[in-house]
Every structure is written in C-alpha cells, then in structure tokens.
C-alpha cells in the first residue's frame, strides 16, 4: 500500500467502523447486495471446482504410482532369503521366482497403462483445471471493482454526513458558508463516483453470471467424457492381464485361501511370534484359604504357620510391654490367699521379666483393689435435664417438608442447635418436630 493509499484508509476508518456497527446512516442498494452475494458464491464454487479437479488429476496419477510401488514392495519380499549365513556350506537359496516374475510383469503393465493415460490426464489439466484458473483470474479482476465501489460508498456516506451536519446549523457564520460550499462540491463528486461503480456492477454482474453458466457447461461435459476414457482404459488394460501366477478362475477369497495354504498355522506355531516365549506358568497364590494372609499381616509368604506381622519378631529380641502378658519364660506364681509376703523380712520380691508382671505382683502384695466408683447417673435415671427453649419473634410458615411452622410468641423446645449462627435449629412445638430459622 502506498502512502497515499494509507492516508485514504485512515480517513475512511471512522466511517468504516460506523458501517460495521451500523451507526448512523448508510447507503444500501438491494439490487447490488443480491448481485454481490451471487458473486461471492460464484467465487467459492469456482475455487472448489479448481481444487477438486486438481485432486482428481493427482488421484489418478497417485493410484498408478502406488500400484508400481506396491509391486516393488512385494518383489522385495519374494527375493531369496537365507537364515544360515553362519554356515556357508549350507546356504540354499530360498524364494519365490514365480512371484518375482509376476511382480515384474505387473509393474510393466501398470507403466504401460500410465503411459496410455498420460494424454487423457493432460486433457484434464488443459480442459478443466486450466479454464478454472482463467475464471479465477477474471473473478479477481472483478473483485477490484467491487472493492473500489465499497471505498466510494464510504466516501459518499462520509461526505453526506459532513454536509448534513453543516446544513443542520441554525446560525451559520462566514466560515460555515465556505465549509458548506466545499461540502456541497465534495458531495457532488462523491455521488458521481459512487453511482458510476454502483451502476456498472449492477449492470454487468448479471451478464457475468450468464457467461459463467455457459463457461461451466462444456467444462463439465469434457470432464465427464475424460472420466469415461480413463475408466474404460483402466478396465480394458486390467482385463487383458495374462499372468500365470494368478488363478483368475476362482473368486478373490478362494484364490487367497488357496495361495495361503497352512502358512498361518505354521507361523502361529513359532515361539518367537508368541507374547510369552519362555518360562513356566507362575503359580498364583489363592486369594482365600490357608495359604493366604490378611492385609494386616503385611507380607507375602506361602509357608504354613507364618506369624502375623505384629508377632514376627526374633526370639532373641527383648520382649515388649505388649508381649509380656502372653510370652514370658517365667510366668508369675499363682495367686495365693495365704497372705502377702513380709516386705521387711527375708523374703524379697523378685522383679519379673516385664513391667506388667511386677505391677501385678505389687498389686497382689498390697491386697485387693478398691471397688470402682459408681457410674454417673444418666438423665433418664435421675431428674430431667433442663430443656432449651426459644420464643418466636415473628410468624413463620413452613416452606418445605421438614420445616416447623410457628407464630409470634410461641415457645419452641430446642432439640439441636446449628453449628453456626446462620444454620437452622431443630425443635418441637405442640407435638410437631422440624427445623426452624
């Protein structure tokens, strides 16, 4: 964009924004709007026609090239293979010479077919893709005229708004009179330029649409006949293929099964194609039964008679306080009612292997323990506990199931208070129970 063009774009920018957001007055021509919509559709469809024709041209060429590459890949697989390179005397060439020869014949046939179809494909390029390119070039030229008309419309609306602003002034000064004269001249020039491009496009766009229909008609007919030639040539050439490697007397599935034979079973019998190649099946521990242990045991063991994790200590470890009551080498003597030993005499109390045993012996030496205190009486057994009550300050009608209705002055027995001040309480009133604010 030149500097002059940039200046014009900057001047038109405010009016363009007003037109975009529909602010103020704007010129609208229904006939041109319809023609512009049809022209936009023409551009879209012509571009699609060009692209799809090009894709068809590339698809036919690509199909033939892929057929040749497929034949080459199969030929590489059929080449002689030997897995006994470590022993040169035992190398025996293995392969499929008939298959290799069939691949070469097929490749030659496809190359001949490619050469035969080359003129037809060139006709698609010349009679379909080329004319579509020419039509796109014409459309781009017309687009310049539509863009020019859009710019002239912006200038026309802008000059008209400026003229109206000066004309609406009640008291005009000498400066306003000069500005009014200039605005009228600018308005007259903008009107002439806008009407020229507007009338030109309204008159000639329908003619372009009619010519476009006549342009597409031979294009489509040529494309149809060229497709027939391509498909007929493909069918004739492939039908005349006479390769002894292929048994064309059978259908596709039967011929496939005949060629394959028992290869699938032999392949599946190989160990290297299996997921698990070596090793016996691992023994799985039973989920329930004698061989299993609960999760609290914290270990996996198949040995019978294993201890719980809490018991799994070595016998040499010192006994803990929790273990002394069950596992001690020298349990305390049985309780005797003959009296407690004399602590001041020669008899002495020997400390047991655990603190639990010593505390039990000391307790027995002191005598019988005092009886436990009586339990605290519950509310039901004694006098009734104080009931919390609340007095209603206003009327409330239940809004949902589980709500408690009340009127001003009612005394409600509070059963449960909310955790916070904003939560409702649970209470009862006149034999009804529910929540209330």
């Amino acid at each position: 964009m030149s500097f002059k063009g940039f200046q014009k774009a900057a001047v038109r920018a405010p009016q363009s924004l007003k037109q975009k957001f529909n602010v103020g007055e704007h010129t609208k021509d229904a006939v041109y709007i319809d023609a512009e919509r049809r022209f936009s559709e023409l551009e879209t469809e012509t571009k699609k026609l060009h692209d799809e024709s090009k894709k068809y041209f590339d698809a036919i060429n690509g199909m033939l090239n892929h057929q040749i590459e497929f034949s080459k890949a199969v030929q590489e697989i059929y080449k002689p293979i030997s897995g006994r390179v470590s022993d040169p005397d035992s190398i025996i060439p293995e392969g499929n010479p008939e298959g290799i020869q069939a691949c070469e014949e097929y490749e030659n046939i496809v190359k001949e077919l490619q050469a035969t179809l080359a003129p037809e494909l060139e006709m698609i390029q010349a009679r379909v893709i080329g004319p579509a390119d020419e039509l796109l070039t014409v459309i781009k030229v017309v687009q310049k005229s539509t863009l020019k008309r859009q710019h002239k419309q912006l200038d026309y609306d802008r000059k008209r708004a400026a003229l109206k602003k000066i004309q609406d002034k009640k008291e005009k000064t000498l400066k306003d009179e000069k500005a009014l004269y200039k605005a009228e001249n600018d308005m007259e020039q903008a009107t002439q330029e806008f009407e020229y491009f507007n009338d030109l496009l309204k008159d000639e766009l329908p003619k372009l649409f009619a010519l476009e229909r006549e342009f597409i008609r031979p294009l489509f007919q040529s494309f149809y006949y060229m497709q027939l030639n391509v498909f007929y040539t493909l069918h004739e050439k492939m039908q005349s293929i006479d390769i002894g490697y292929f048994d064309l007397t059978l259908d596709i599935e039967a011929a496939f099964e005949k060629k394959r034979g028992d290869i699938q079973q032999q392949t599946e019998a190989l160990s290297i194609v299996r997921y698990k190649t070596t090793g016996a099946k691992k023994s799985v521990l039973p989920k329930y039964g004698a061989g299993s242990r609960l999760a609290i045991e914290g270990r996996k063991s198949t040995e019978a008679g294993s201890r719980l994790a809490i018991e799994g200590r070595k016998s040499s470890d010192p006994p803990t306080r929790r273990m002394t009551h069950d596992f001690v080498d020298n349990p305390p003597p049985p309780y005797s009612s003959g009296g407690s030993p004399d602590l001041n005499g020669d008899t002495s109390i020997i400390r047991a292997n655990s603190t639990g045993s010593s505390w039990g012996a000391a307790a027995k030496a002191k005598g019988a323990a005092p009886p436990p205190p009586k339990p605290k009486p519950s509310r039901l057994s004694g006098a009734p506990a104080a009931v919390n009550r609340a007095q209603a300050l206003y009327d409330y009608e239940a809004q949902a199931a589980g709500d408690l209705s009340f009127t001003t002055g009612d005394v409600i027995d509070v059963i449960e208070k909310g955790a916070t001040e904003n939560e409702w309480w649970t209470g009862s009133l006149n034999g009804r129970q529910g929540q209330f604010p």
Side-chain angles (χ1 to χ4, degrees), residues 59-80:
I60 297 297
N61 280 324
M63 178 186 68
L64 299 175
N65 291 329
H66 291 320
Q67 286 179 279
I68 295 174
E69 295 300 325
F70 176 83
S71 176
K72 291 180 179 179
V74 176
Q75 187 176 354
E76 290 294 329
I77 296 176
Y78 281 163
K79 283 183 178 180

Side-chain angles (χ1 to χ4, degrees), residues 213-283:
R213 288 194 297 270
E214 298 298 327
F215 177 81
I216 293 297
R217 186 176 301 171
L219 211 67
F220 180 63
Q221 185 174 0
S222 299
F223 187 69
Y224 173 74
Y225 281 115
M226 283 183 286
Q227 278 186 318
L228 288 181
N229 291 335
V230 170
F231 293 145
Y232 177 77
T233 305
L234 284 172
H235 179 267
E236 183 182 17
K237 199 68 175 178
M238 300 304 291
Q239 190 73 17
S240 62
I241 290 180
D242 186 14
I243 300 177
Y245 187 73
F246 304 130
D247 187 1
L248 302 180
T249 60
L250 302 175
D251 59 3
I252 296 177
E253 186 175 357
F256 173 77
E257 294 294 339
K258 180 181 178 181
K259 284 290 183 183
R260 185 175 66 171
D262 61 344
I263 296 300
Q264 183 177 0
Q265 291 78 7
Q266 295 181 23
T267 304
E268 292 176 352
L270 299 176
S271 300
I272 58 175
V273 301
R274 299 177 184 176
Y275 180 71
K276 293 182 179 180
T277 57
T278 58
K281 185 177 179 181
K282 295 183 178 180
S283 59

Side-chain angles (χ1 to χ4, degrees), residues 376-389 413-414:
K376 185 177 181 180
S378 62
R379 292 185 178 183
L380 298 178
S381 60
V387 179
N388 293 329
R389 291 184 173 87
D413 294 337
V414 179

Side-chain angles (χ1 to χ4, degrees), residues 281-422:
K281 185 177 179 181
K282 295 183 178 180
S283 59
V284 181
L285 295 178
K287 188 174 182 181
Y288 303 101
S292 62
R293 289 293 182 267
L294 297 178
I296 195 173
E297 299 178 7
R299 64 178 63 199
K300 295 179 180 179
S301 175
T302 56
E303 298 179 359
S306 62
R307 298 287 183 179
L308 295 175
I310 197 172
E311 301 175 359
R313 298 177 178 272
K314 296 180 179 180
S315 58
S316 59
D317 295 342
T320 60
R321 180 174 299 179
R322 188 178 297 274
M323 298 169 55
T324 51
H325 293 285
D326 298 328
F327 303 98
V328 290
D329 296 335
N330 298 320
Y335 173 75
S336 175
S337 60
S340 59
D342 188 5
L343 298 179
N344 296 325
D346 296 336
T347 305
S348 62
I349 299 177
I350 301 175
R351 183 175 179 84
N353 291 337
S354 66
T355 55
S357 300
S358 62
W359 282 107
K364 292 177 182 179
K366 291 183 178 180
K374 295 182 179 181
K376 185 177 181 180
S378 62
R379 292 185 178 183
L380 298 178
S381 60
V387 179
N388 293 329
R389 291 184 173 87
Q391 187 174 7
L393 302 179
Y394 53 87
D395 297 343
Y396 174 73
E397 185 69 23
Q399 303 296 325
D403 293 354
L404 181 65
S405 302
F406 54 83
T407 58
T408 305
D410 288 347
V411 179
I412 304 172
D413 294 337
V414 179
I415 299 176
E416 182 181 359
K417 294 183 179 181
T420 62
E421 296 180 357
N422 297 328

